[in-house]
């Protein structure tokens, strides 16, 4: 009689647990807009959720500690004239978030550490370049201030948020609506899925498709794809019989998937959340009430089912905390923020361990908040892996850091260097560039001071008139 050998894995017993009621965020009017994005973004400081808003689009930003019932008059981030479709926190500044909207614009916001008194209505910068709705946002994993947006015009634009300029525009690659975009670990490649049922790997700086696979899943519903840590691809989609599938692909051999897992029959698009540190992928379907998770390994069958976290309520969206925001003392390896119709509920994934000591096998060094490259270094062809930090002492978010925008001098009419490249302000001589900026700031301040002095004089005159009248 042969004995069945159980696969050895430290993640075999990972279990999910919903937070207690007092740790949830109550009375939030989650957006009802029909769009397959997560509707929620979270980092070690803040939780952001796209909400219902009359007369335009809005999202709410809450400090993580502000659990419980949210006041109905709590300030929102409002500025878009159409519904907000996607939001994404900057990986290199926990106070900066980007939002994409039906109104064709992308806005970048600076969120203060204190609770604002009124709605935040002024973005740091508005990025205008798409001709139709913008539904996908993704910050570059290693380069400072580089943001990708994808719109209903089938165009991907890569921006330098620090100058407000277009670095690259990929406008002739996708013949139809783009469903998902994902950077690889060092930001040298993109994986995209499209309504034309093709999974593409793109080198954005060369504006060319490196590899592609038509119909990775036979079904008609939208696909999603994410890169794994070793450069493979995970895709979610549907079979011809509408069964939901998870496939693992090797881009060097796109003929057959390395592994294919079939799940259930359901309409909800599966959003994959991949953790490169543990090599676990979590699948959350919109409208589902469960989170399935799988471990990806180098040994057959490569994709190993671990477990399913189930609850009663269906999810409207999902936020996924970066590794540096987890509680390492409790052996948390993932934390989700599940959106209900009127609330947001944290769900913690934990590896059971008896010891209270730091578990270094669960927490390898992970990407920290420091960028490895500047925007123009990346554009010129440089690549760099993320700058890693240790979580041994726990992660303390840095204090508020301001996002500085340096607009290019509009009087500088020198032609851009090379095709599809805009001359960035940082390429001008530094001293001249700094001098112009300082002079502009001084001029603006002088005008403000002059206006204030005029106002003071007017008020003093009014006061004198009132005093003379009482005499």
């Amino acid at each position: 009689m042969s004995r069945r050998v159980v696969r050895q894995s430290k993640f075999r017993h990972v279990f999910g647990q919903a937070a207690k009621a007092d740790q949830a965020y109550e009375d939030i009017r989650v957006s009802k807009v029909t769009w397959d994005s997560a509707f929620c973004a979270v980092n070690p400081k803040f939780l952001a959720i796209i909400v219902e808003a009359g007369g335009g689009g809005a999202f709410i930003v809450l400090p993580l500690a502000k659990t419980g019932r949210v006041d109905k008059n709590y300030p929102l981030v409002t500025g878009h004239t159409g519904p907000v479709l996607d939001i994404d926190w900057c990986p290199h500044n926990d106070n900066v978030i980007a939002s994409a909207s039906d109104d064709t614009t992308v806005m970048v916001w600076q969120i203060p550490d204190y609770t604002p008194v009124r709605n935040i209505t002024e973005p740091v910068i508005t990025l205008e370049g798409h001709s139709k709705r913008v539904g996908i946002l993704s910050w570059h994993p290693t380069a400072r201030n580089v943001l990708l947006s994808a719109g209903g015009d089938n165009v991907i634009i890569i921006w330098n948020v620090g100058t407000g300029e277009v670095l690259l525009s990929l406008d002739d690659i996708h013949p139809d609506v783009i469903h998902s975009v994902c950077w690889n670990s060092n930001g040298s490649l993109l994986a995209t899925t499209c309504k034309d049922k093709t999974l593409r790997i793109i080198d954005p700086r060369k504006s060319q498709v490196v590899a592609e696979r038509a119909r990775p899943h036979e079904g008609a519903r939208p696909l999603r794809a994410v890169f794994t840590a070793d450069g493979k691809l995970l895709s979610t989609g549907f079979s011809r019989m509408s069964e939901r599938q998870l496939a693992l692909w090797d881009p060097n051999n796109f003929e057959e998937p390395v592994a294919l897992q079939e799940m259930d029959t359901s309409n909800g698009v599966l959003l994959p959340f991949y953790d490169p540190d543990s090599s676990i992928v979590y699948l959350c379907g919109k409208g589902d009430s469960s989170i399935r998770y799988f471990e990806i390994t180098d040994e057959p069958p490569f994709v190993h089912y671990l477990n399913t976290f189930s609850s009663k309520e269906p999810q409207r969206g999902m936020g996924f905390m970066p590794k540096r925001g987890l509680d390492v003392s409790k052996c948390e390896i993932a934390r989700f923020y599940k959106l209900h119709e009127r609330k947001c509920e944290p769900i913690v994934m934990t590896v059971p361990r008896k010891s209270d000591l730091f578990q270094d096998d669960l927490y390898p060094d992970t990407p920290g908040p420091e960028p490895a490259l500047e925007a123009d270094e990346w554009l010129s062809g440089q690549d760099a892996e993320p700058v890693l930090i240790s979580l041994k002492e726990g992660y303390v978010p840095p204090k508020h850091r301001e996002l500085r925008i340096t607009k290019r001098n509009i009087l500088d009419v020198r032609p851009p260097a090379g095709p599809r490249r805009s001359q960035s302000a940082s390429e001008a001589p530094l001293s001249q560039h700094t001098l112009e900026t300082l002079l502009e700031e001084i001029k603006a301040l002088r005008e403000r001071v002059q206006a204030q002095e005029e106002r003071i004089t007017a008020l003093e005159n009014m006061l004198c008139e009132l005093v003379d009248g009482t005499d």
Side-chain angles (χ1 to χ4, degrees), residues 406-408 425-426 428-438:
T406 312
K407 290 287 182 74
R408 180 168 151 261
S426 55
L430 186 64
S431 56
Q432 174 200 336
H433 168 58
T434 312
L435 187 65
E436 285 171 357
T437 310
L438 283 171

Side-chain angles (χ1 to χ4, degrees), residues 189-428:
L189 296 172
L190 296 170
T192 69
T193 61
C194 177
K195 197 175 177 182
D196 71 347
K197 308 283 183 297
T198 303
L199 170 59
R200 295 174 175 83
I201 297 176
I202 298 165
D203 182 333
R205 288 168 297 195
K206 292 180 180 170
S207 296
Q208 62 182 208
V209 177
V210 178
E212 63 182 356
R213 162 71 196 201
R215 302 190 80 84
H217 299 273
E218 291 291 330
R221 303 272 297 137
L223 312 170
R224 286 282 187 281
V226 290
F227 275 104
T228 64
D230 60 358
K232 292 190 176 70
L233 275 172
L234 283 163
S235 65
T236 62
F238 295 77
S239 71
R240 196 171 281 149
M241 307 300 291
S242 292
E243 283 182 314
R244 295 197 289 193
Q245 297 176 322
L246 170 68
L248 179 66
W249 301 89
D250 181 351
N252 299 317
N253 179 14
F254 251 154
E255 289 303 308
E256 290 294 322
V258 177
L260 182 68
Q261 283 264 356
E262 296 209 328
M263 281 162 281
D264 56 357
T265 308
S266 176
N267 285 331
V269 174
L270 285 169
L271 305 179
F273 295 96
Y274 175 72
D275 172 18
D277 295 346
S278 60
S279 202
I280 294 176
V281 63
Y282 302 86
L283 304 181
C284 310
K286 271 201 158 184
D288 287 10
S289 52
S290 61
I291 301 172
R292 290 180 183 80
Y293 40 108
F294 299 81
E295 187 179 357
I296 315 301
T297 67
D298 295 332
E299 302 124 31
F302 306 107
V303 176
H304 308 269
Y305 171 73
L306 290 174
N307 211 334
T308 300
F309 166 81
S310 296
S311 56
K312 292 175 184 172
E313 298 289 323
Q315 54 230 16
R316 297 279 294 275
M318 196 69 81
F320 187 50
M321 176 66 81
K323 209 49 167 268
R324 57 197 170 89
L326 302 181
D327 186 344
V328 296
S329 67
K330 293 180 180 168
C331 295
E332 267 188 55
I333 60 159
R335 194 188 312 149
F336 291 91
Y337 287 77
K338 174 182 170 179
L339 299 186
H340 298 244
E341 200 169 328
R342 299 280 303 192
K343 75 170 181 179
C344 175
E345 173 186 46
I347 294 165
V348 175
M349 298 289 177
T350 308
V351 176
R353 291 278 167 99
K354 289 177 181 172
S355 169
D356 288 337
L357 298 174
F358 177 72
Q359 307 291 316
D360 51 10
D361 62 325
L362 296 183
Y363 301 106
D365 288 356
T366 196
E370 285 305 314
L373 292 170
E374 296 300 325
D376 38 1
E377 289 175 330
W378 176 78
L379 188 64
S380 69
Q382 290 185 45
D383 289 318
E385 293 302 316
V387 178
L388 304 181
I389 57 168
S390 168
L391 298 178
K392 189 161 188 173
E393 306 303 325
Y395 174 74
V396 179
K399 291 281 184 238
H400 180 93
R401 289 191 296 180
E402 197 169 337
L403 171 62
R404 296 191 180 280
I405 305 296
T406 312
K407 290 287 182 74
R408 180 168 151 261
N409 179 6
I410 56 167
L411 301 175
D412 183 0
V413 290
R414 285 172 294 176
R420 292 189 191 282
R421 229 192 109 166
S422 43
Q423 178 83 18
S424 92
S426 55
E427 289 171 330

